[in-house]
């Protein structure tokens, strides 16, 4: 069941409507935060997690290895875990530091959950009392919260397994024992990723209607990006101006040496909001843009609206120092299996860049299609017509699986990028803080090239052309690993050299990805020969080579190569780091492969990576610095979420599988491990829901997130009122509401206006769409309108109450000021 919750502190938008020459919009004057409700039981003691000081032991440990030790269940790190041996009758227990009452126990199961287990307590560790039983569990991963509420002190708490989830053992990442009701977590600002250091102040700054954005140094691009967001939603002019000591600006963005946090010049920034306004300082344009992305999240969600909205444009007083944990925070988009247009790629950038993701990895070639136009060079010994790559294989894509069943909701989309298209993507990405990393997959995943270019089809290539054809047949299934180039064909190396050179010329970024994965029909020696050639070509072009972890054992350029780990044994990757100075991008399939199902409600998507659904919590709960033995923090270049295209068609479906898990990827790449907290992250995701909805992101309605609701008006008054005695004039107040209520449906959401004089009016809310998991759609923004005639000038408080399934979840107060005329 999807749960909806309001923010505990509702921002009251006090709207004053001034008469314009023609009926116009409300003018915003101020906003006052209301106080959160008092605790219903203020005197009740807050619970303490007494498990933190306990000693954990277990009946067994998987492989008898310390990385699965019982002590990891109460270390406060959700990325570690205890795992048992493969026995149903396994247990884990906590010996408390001193006898304690137990109110509740929470168990975080990362993957290998219990289908059935009991919770037991003991005063002496010998005699056990079963206090709760759970059977028939059908969800994994999950968190079990078991309320015991006993005042009788106990010294031991045990999870006694009865039935494992699968053939493996039990795994518990964290086990918490509360001696009283656990405290409500402190309300976090809706910032994702979580900054390194945030200091809160008392109060808020309201952006004035005559605000200017002052930019100095290399800050103009960040300032313009901020204006591009805020001008349509606020209706303010927001000119971007040069620094002028004689004039105060509401927002100042400065780029100069020494402004970023010490040691973090590349992308770090400081952001301060106080009574005087907003100041962002950074050493680089990239750092300034990161500060702008955080500022956007401090503003109301409706700042992301493309149309004017009458809300209070307030930002809480804060002092933030921030910088990324890893240099590479990426998103991979598979354009080869199903094509995305240039506009779709730009929309993907628009949704990824606010999360401070800074790498866009474009998978441009594969068995199913070739997506980037190539020119035929003047020097062309093999006579290859490179235009055939897109003429032939630009019109192919995913079709059916080996059983003849449609892959996805429709056939894969076809198309390709001209060189100008690609340049426009690179430029747009750069303006949004993202560097494009192109991937030309080889020597496997090359069926599209073999289908288009006769000269590549030779004795050692595969698959073979059909009788009467000089090229391999199109391969539109998801059956991978069958294609290969021929290592003994001179045209192979001419082709690799020509393609890589042209891609490098188009790409200003440092990295060029050569794939290297799943070359199952390529012999080992042939694989090493072709990949070594490609590695050397990339180095000669002045780029850094990147490849999937299968290429880790090839001849890599010393200290100038990157291994992108996705699955399989980790030893070759660790060896590449140790022996060849390689860096690592982590995209482990069980954490970062986003087409995997998010929960069992999704009819499409895999479960092979996690053994079950790959949940939001699972995507968040890991530590890149400890994921591969022998690969430490300093060896990790970063993390990357991957969206493959076997069944995903178009940007809406892509977003439905990527979000909100992409928020977990972003925070894993940005926030220090010690700053990560799953419960706080889920709360910040919930509060980010309205913002994502206003941005038009079609995200998955994760069931474990209590999505918040946000409403905003557009207010107009038809005319001023004559205050002279005997005047019978009336004015019409029109309130056009928009409501962001993720994961709801038409008919279950209602709203009403409650005027100060007791008059109420229902506001019918409708949306052109609904939440439908099978159809991969989230409900869009609801809209509604109400009007009221007034005969007296003055202030009219008019809060909007929003309810879901009859339960009030949000109140948005405003005050409409109707002006008088003389």
């Amino acid at each position: 069941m999807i749960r909806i919750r309001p923010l505990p502190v509702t921002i009251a938008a006090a709207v004053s409507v001034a008469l314009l020459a023609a009926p116009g919009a409300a003018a915003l004057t101020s906003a006052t935060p209301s106080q959160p409700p008092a605790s219903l039981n203020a005197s009740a003691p807050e619970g303490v997690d007494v498990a933190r000081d306990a000693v954990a032991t277990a009946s067994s440990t998987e492989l008898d290895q310390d990385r699965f030790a019982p002590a990891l269940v109460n270390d406060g790190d959700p990325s570690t875990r205890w795992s048992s041996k493969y026995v149903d009758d396994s247990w884990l227990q906590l010996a408390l530091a001193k006898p304690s009452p137990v109110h509740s126990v929470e168990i975080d199961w990362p993957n290998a959950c219990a289908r059935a287990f009991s919770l037991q307590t003991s005063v002496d560790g010998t005699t056990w009392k079963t206090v709760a039983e759970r059977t028939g569990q059908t969800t994994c991963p999950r968190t079990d919260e078991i309320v015991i509420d006993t005042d009788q002190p106990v010294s031991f708490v045990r999870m006694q397994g009865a039935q494992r989830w699968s053939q493996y053992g039990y795994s518990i990442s964290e086990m918490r024992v509360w001696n009283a009701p656990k405290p409500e977590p402190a309300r976090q600002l809706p910032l994702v990723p979580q900054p390194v250091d945030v200091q809160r102040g008392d109060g808020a700054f309201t952006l004035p209607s005559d605000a200017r954005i002052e930019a100095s140094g290399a800050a103009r691009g960040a300032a313009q990006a901020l204006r591009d967001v805020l001008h349509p939603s606020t209706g303010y002019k927001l000119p971007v101006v040069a620094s002028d000591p004689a004039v105060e600006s509401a927002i100042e963005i400065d780029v100069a040496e020494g402004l970023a946090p010490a040691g973090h010049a590349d992308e770090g920034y400081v952001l301060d909001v106080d009574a005087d306004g907003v100041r962002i300082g950074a050493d680089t344009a990239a750092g300034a843009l990161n500060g702008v992305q955080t500022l956007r999240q401090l503003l109301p969600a409706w700042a992301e609206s493309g149309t004017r909205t009458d809300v209070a444009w307030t930002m809480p007083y804060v002092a933030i120092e921030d910088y990324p944990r890893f240099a590479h925070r990426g998103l991979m988009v598979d354009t080869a299996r199903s094509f995305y247009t240039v506009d779709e790629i730009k929309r993907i950038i628009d949704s990824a860049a606010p999360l401070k993701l800074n790498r866009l990895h474009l998978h441009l070639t594969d068995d199913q299609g070739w997506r980037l136009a190539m020119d035929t060079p003047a020097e062309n010994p093999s006579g290859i017509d490179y235009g055939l790559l897109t003429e032939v294989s630009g019109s192919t894509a995913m079709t059916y699986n080996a059983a003849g069943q449609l892959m996805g909701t429709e056939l894969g989309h076809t198309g390709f990028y001209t060189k100008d298209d690609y340049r426009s993507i690179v430029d747009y990405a750069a303006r949004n803080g993202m560097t494009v990393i192109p991937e030309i997959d080889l020597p496997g995943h090359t069926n599209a090239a073999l289908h288009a270019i006769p000269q590549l089809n030779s004795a050692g290539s595969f698959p073979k052309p059909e009788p009467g054809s000089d090229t391999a047949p199109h391969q539109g299934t998801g059956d991978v690993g069958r294609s290969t180039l021929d290592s003994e064909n001179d045209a192979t190396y001419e082709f690799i050299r020509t393609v890589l050179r042209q891609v490098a010329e188009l790409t200003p970024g440092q990295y060029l990805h050569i794939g290297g994965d799943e070359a199952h029909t390529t012999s080992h020696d042939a694989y090493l020969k072709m990949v070594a050639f490609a590695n050397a070509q990339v180095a000669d072009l002045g780029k850094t080579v990147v490849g999937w972890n299968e290429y880790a054992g090839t001849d890599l350029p010393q200290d100038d190569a990157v291994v992108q780990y996705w699955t399989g044994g980790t030893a070759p990757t660790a060896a590449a780091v140790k022996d060849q100075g390689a860096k690592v991008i982590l995209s482990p399939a069980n954490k970062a492969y986003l087409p995997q199902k998010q929960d069992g409600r999704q009819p499409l998507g895999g479960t092979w990576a996690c053994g079950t659904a790959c949940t939001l919590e699972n995507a968040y709960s890991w530590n890149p610095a400890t994921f591969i033995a022998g690969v430490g923090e300093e060896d990790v270049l970063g993390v990357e979420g991957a969206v493959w295209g076997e069944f995903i068609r178009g940007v809406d479906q892509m977003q439905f599988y990527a979000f909100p898990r992409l928020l977990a990827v972003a925070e894993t790449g940005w926030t220090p491990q010690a700053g990560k907290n799953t419960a706080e992250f889920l709360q910040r995701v919930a509060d980010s829901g309205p913002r994502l909805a206003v941005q038009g992101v079609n995200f998955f309605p994760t069931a474990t997130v209590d999505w918040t609701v946000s409403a905003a008006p557009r207010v107009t008054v038809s005319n001023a009122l004559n205050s002279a005695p005997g005047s019978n004039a009336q004015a019409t107040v029109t309130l056009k509401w928009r409501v962001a209520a993720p994961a709801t449906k038409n008919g279950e959401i209602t709203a009403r206006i409650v005027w100060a004089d007791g008059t109420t009016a229902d506001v019918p809310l409708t949306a052109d769409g609904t939440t439908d998991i099978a159809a991969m759609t989230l409900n869009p923004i609801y809209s509604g309108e109400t009007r009221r005639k007034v005969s007296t000038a003055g202030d009219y408080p008019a809060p909007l109450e929003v309810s879901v399934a009859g339960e009030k979840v949000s109140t948005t107060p405003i005050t409409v000021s109707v002006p008088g005329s003389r």
Side-chain angles (χ1 to χ4, degrees):
M1 176 181 177
I2 300 296
R3 294 165 288 176
I4 308 292
R5 76 174 175 209
L7 290 170
V9 179
T10 302
I11 298 299
V15 178
S16 172
V17 179
L19 179 66
L20 304 177
L28 187 68
T29 57
S30 64
T32 304
S34 62
Q35 296 300 314
S39 170
L40 297 178
N41 189 6
S43 62
E46 286 191 342
V48 174
D49 178 13
V50 295
R52 292 303 298 272
D53 297 324
V55 176
T57 56
S59 57
S60 65
T61 297
E62 183 178 3
L63 304 177
D64 294 320
Q65 293 185 358
D66 289 344
R67 62 192 178 111
F68 301 125
L72 300 177
V73 302
N74 59 339
D75 63 350
D77 185 352
S79 68
T80 63
R81 72 181 192 271
W82 162 74
S83 293
S84 75
K85 292 184 176 178
Y86 307 160
V87 178
D88 282 334
D89 185 20
S90 298
W91 54 260
L92 178 134
Q93 70 183 37
L94 297 170
L96 306 182
K98 61 181 180 180
S100 172
V102 176
H103 175 268
S104 61
V105 176
E106 292 177 312
I107 302 176
D108 296 339
W109 308 92
N111 274 306
C113 310
R115 290 190 183 274
F117 70 97
S118 61
L119 194 67
Q120 300 175 337
T121 60
S122 175
V123 296
D124 57 9
T126 301
T127 303
W128 294 91
K129 176 182 179 181
T130 298
V131 294
E133 291 182 329
R134 295 289 185 270
T135 60
Q137 301 297 298
T138 59
T139 301
C140 184
R142 68 175 191 271
T143 295
D144 287 327
E145 182 175 1
I146 304 163
V147 176
I148 300 172
D149 199 14
T150 176
D151 293 331
Q152 180 66 39
V154 300
S155 296
F156 298 85
V157 178
R158 172 185 282 190
M159 185 289 298
Q160 173 63 60
Q163 183 183 4
R164 291 166 291 148
W165 188 262
S166 63
Q167 73 268 31
Y168 303 107
Y170 302 100
S171 287
I172 295 177
S173 58
E174 288 294 305
M175 187 169 174
R176 296 173 292 277
V177 178
W178 298 98
N179 64 356
K182 67 178 181 179
E184 286 294 324
R187 195 72 189 182
Q188 303 289 304
L189 292 172
L191 302 177
V192 178
Q194 176 71 8
V196 172
D197 184 68
V198 181
Q199 301 296 322
R200 298 283 300 271
D202 294 328
F205 173 72
T206 300
L207 190 69
S209 59
D210 61 350
R212 312 182 327 154
I213 305 175
E214 184 178 299
S216 68
R220 189 168 187 88
Q224 187 61 49
L226 180 62
R227 184 190 184 275
D228 289 345
V229 172
L230 295 184
H231 171 63
S233 55
T234 64
Y236 301 166
K237 291 183 178 179
L238 296 171
V240 176
V241 299
S243 179
D244 183 351
V247 181
E248 291 188 0
S249 297
I251 301 174
E252 298 177 5
I253 308 176
D254 300 319
V255 173
E257 185 177 354
L259 295 183
H264 301 281
D266 287 349
E267 292 192 83
Y269 68 93
V270 295
L271 189 160
D272 294 296
V273 181
D274 57 24
D276 295 327
V278 179
R279 293 175 300 281
I280 296 173
D283 282 33
T284 64
L289 184 58
N290 287 331
V292 163
Q293 305 295 21
T294 298
L295 180 61
R296 288 170 63 177
Q297 295 182 350
L298 290 172
L299 285 156
W302 300 95
E304 307 295 329
S305 173
T307 57
R308 178 170 169 172
T309 305
D310 295 323
V311 303
W313 301 111
T314 60
M315 294 153 277
Y317 291 167
V318 293
I320 294 175
E321 290 194 6
D322 199 17
Y323 47 85
R325 179 182 181 184
F326 298 117
H328 179 110
R329 305 172 306 280
L331 169 64
M332 191 226 72
V333 180
D334 179 4
T335 68
R337 288 177 174 83
S338 186
F339 182 65
Y340 295 85
T341 66
V342 172
D343 286 343
E344 285 182 312
I345 292 294
K346 290 180 178 179
R347 185 176 158 198
I348 291 169
I349 292 169
D350 288 342
S351 60
L355 302 174
K356 303 186 183 71
L357 295 175
N358 66 344
R359 300 289 186 264
L360 178 63
H361 172 179
L362 294 179
H363 186 75
L364 294 166
T365 70
D366 211 299
D367 288 331
Q368 296 81 8
W370 185 284
R371 303 302 175 208
L372 182 59
M374 295 282 108
D375 296 328
T376 299
E379 185 177 344
N380 185 20
S382 298
I384 294 174
D385 181 356
Y386 287 86
L388 291 173
L389 288 167
T390 49
E391 181 181 330
V392 174
S393 291
S395 60
T396 61
M398 289 291 298
T399 53
Y400 303 91
N401 64 18
Q405 299 167 322
L406 183 67
M407 299 286 288
T409 58
E410 57 188 277
L411 293 174
H413 298 174
T414 61
F416 66 91
Y417 306 115
T418 66
K419 288 190 171 182
D420 283 344
D421 288 338
Y422 182 80
R423 291 186 187 100
S424 74
I425 291 171
V426 169
D427 178 68
Y428 191 81
R431 284 188 279 121
N432 285 275
M434 301 188 77
T435 298
V436 170
I437 298 176
E439 180 183 350
I440 305 297
D441 207 345
L442 57 89
H445 289 274
T446 48
N447 199 103
L450 294 166
H451 180 54
I453 306 298
Q455 291 88 337
L456 296 179
N457 292 264
S458 52
S461 67
F462 191 84
K464 299 299 184 184
E466 294 177 346
S469 176
D470 57 1
T471 62
H474 168 55
Q475 208 285 84
T477 77
D479 186 13
V480 298
R482 298 176 61 248
S483 61
T484 184
L485 298 174
D486 182 358
S487 66
E488 300 303 315
N489 181 355
D490 289 344
T492 293
Y493 301 99
E494 181 184 332
F495 176 80
I496 292 173
R497 181 188 303 110
T498 299
V499 169
L500 293 181
R501 177 181 56 78
Q502 293 191 40
V503 175
E505 290 172 349
L506 289 169
T507 306
Q510 180 63 29
Y511 300 99
L512 205 163
H513 204 301
I514 64 163
D517 60 315
E518 296 180 315
H520 301 321
T521 61
T522 312
S523 73
H524 181 65
D525 289 344
Y527 179 86
L528 293 177
K529 181 179 179 180
M530 287 187 281
V531 173
F533 179 83
N535 291 342
Q537 289 299 305
V538 174
D540 289 346
L541 291 165
K543 302 291 188 182
T544 297
V545 67
V546 187
W548 299 104
N549 57 273
E550 289 94 327
Y551 104 130
T554 67
D555 185 13
L556 301 177
Q558 186 67 36
D559 301 323
D560 194 25
V562 178
V563 178
Q564 185 165 9
Y565 177 84
W566 71 283
T567 194
T570 60
T573 298
V577 170
K578 179 177 181 293
D579 300 332
Q580 297 179 276
K583 295 295 184 181
V584 177
I585 295 170
L586 285 162
S587 299
N590 64 335
K591 299 294 181 182
Y593 268 33
L594 302 177
Q596 296 289 298
K597 289 186 179 184
Q598 300 180 74
D599 70 28
R601 297 176 295 168
Q602 291 186 287
L604 295 177
T607 57
W608 59 265
C610 297
T612 182
C614 291
T615 65
L616 174 62
E617 293 86 343
N618 175 71
Y620 185 76
S621 300
W622 65 294
N623 184 354
T626 60
F627 192 83
I628 296 178
V631 176
E633 183 100 6
E634 69 282 0
D635 305 314
V636 176
L637 185 64
V639 299
E640 184 172 295
V643 184
W644 296 102
E646 282 85 354
F647 66 89
I648 291 176
R649 305 288 177 261
V651 66
D652 285 334
Q653 292 187 11
M654 176 268 177
Q655 289 181 338
F656 202 71
Y657 275 80
F659 288 87
R661 287 180 295 184
L662 194 59
L663 278 68
V665 174
E667 185 147 317
T668 298
W670 182 278
T671 305
Q673 192 69 26
K676 293 177 66 179
N677 179 290
T678 302
E680 292 177 357
F681 172 71
L682 293 177
Q683 175 245 299
R684 288 182 283 111
V685 170
D687 294 344
S688 299
R691 183 177 307 278
L692 293 172
V694 174
Q695 288 173 335
V697 177
N698 183 49
F699 61 91
F700 181 74
T702 306
T704 55
V705 174
D706 297 336
W707 299 104
T708 58
V709 172
S710 179
R714 182 80 169 93
V715 186
T716 57
V717 177
S718 60
N719 53 272
L721 289 174
N722 189 338
S723 57
S727 172
N728 294 319
Q730 287 188 321
T732 301
V733 176
T734 302
L735 298 170
K736 294 184 177 180
W737 289 95
R738 288 187 294 161
V739 178
T744 59
K745 298 181 179 181
N746 279 312
E748 67 179 3
I749 183 165
T750 57
R752 68 170 188 163
I753 289 280
V754 182
W755 297 90
D757 62 5
T759 302
T760 64
D762 291 336
V763 183
L765 297 175
T766 58
D768 295 331
T770 190
T771 297
D772 186 330
I773 290 174
M776 292 179 272
T777 59
L778 181 82
N779 61 284
I781 302 297
Y782 293 94
S783 60
E785 180 177 318
T786 186
R787 298 185 180 189
R788 181 180 180 182
K789 292 186 179 297
V790 297
S791 56
T792 305
D795 292 339
Y796 291 83
L800 180 78
E801 298 176 351
V802 178
S803 299
V804 176
E807 178 182 356
K808 186 168 71 174
V809 297
S810 176
T811 300
T812 304
I814 68 165
T815 297
V816 179
S817 294
V818 179
S821 63
R822 295 183 181 273

